[in-house]
Amino acid sequence: MGYKSKLFAGVASLSLLAAQAFAAGSTRLEIQSAWPLTLPASGASAEHFAKQLEVSGADSLKVRLYSAGKLVPSLQIFDAVQQGTLNAGYTSPLYVAGRFPAVQLFGGVPFGPDALEYVGWIYNGGGLDIWREIYAKQGVVTVPCGIMDSEAGGWYKFEINSIDDLKGKKIRFAGLAGEVMKKSGASVVLLGGGDIYPNLERGVIDGTEFSMPAIDAAMGFEKVAPYYYLPGWHQPAAITELIINKRKWDRMSAQQHALIENACKDTMLWTVTSTSVANSEAIEKFKAAGTEIKSFPPSVLEKFKSSTDEVLKEQSEKNADFKRVLDSLNAYREKVALWSKNRS
């Protein structure tokens, strides 16, 4: 073999070894969304994240994204990720509020922080550190991966003129707001996104909150409920999360972790800015369909606020993690209060 032949053979061998080493370090993530991928903001954000990761991760990270219900029911995503039968899920911490009350505070707080204040606390006020500590006990890693602007107040088959109008009504609500609705006399039902429309249509439930107008429009709720309440009170901002099986996460490199974190931060910005026009267009669509746009009376909002204070106090007394998270959030909000109140 001549000199050039030996050189080319050596280069080829090194290239093959490098490719094999790179392939050995590559990771495949199978992720299921809790929402249909066609749904604005929530489902679409999962798709945006997957595309960003595919581009930035090159061959280091390969992603396969599944829509809601393709592998497991949406409300069982956490269990599947925890057990390792699913690598990762794109979901809401509110869906495991019954088991881990403290994480509700990361999914949206009634009368709580707006999107900017929420992100500030998560990244600069210690919120994410506590969140991850809670999930680490369950063998799950969380990455904030989307933040939505204020949600609407919900769809109802009846008018809400006083707090008494809620008594005995079956309403789909999640998280802390659900506890507030219980104190208002409602019977609260937790349903995955795909189950809400048929249950509202058949009268199994009398009302529902779900999300912002752009997402509600995609669900078609205006066809089965005549009253839509704006603005909302229960989620001034809502964070969605990417959860990953901890064993899977620990096998990934620091570079792969950074790729995921950065793709999620990009998705946070994209999510909160992606629906402003669509929300306005959705409200116009509802009006054209005959929907009556209503506002909660001040007396009802006052009752919701006092009930929220009661719920937060009760949860803090029952659960040390909840108190720790709430204290952290309140401390951050107090630190930024003067600027928050005067920045607009």
Side-chain angles (χ1 to χ4, degrees), residues 9 36 55 64 111 120 133 149 158-159 175 195 252 273 321:
V55 171
R64 184 163 186 182
F111 303 99
E133 286 175 21
D149 209 345
F158 59 96
E159 290 188 67
D195 296 323
M252 288 189 277
T273 57
D321 278 338

Side-chain angles (χ1 to χ4, degrees), residues 236-257:
I239 297 178
T240 49
E241 61 178 344
L242 176 74
I243 55 173
I244 303 172
N245 177 272
K246 191 174 187 301
R247 294 187 300 277
K248 182 77 172 179
W249 177 265
D250 289 343
R251 288 196 295 268
M252 288 189 277
S253 68
Q255 181 189 34
Q256 290 171 329
H257 291 170

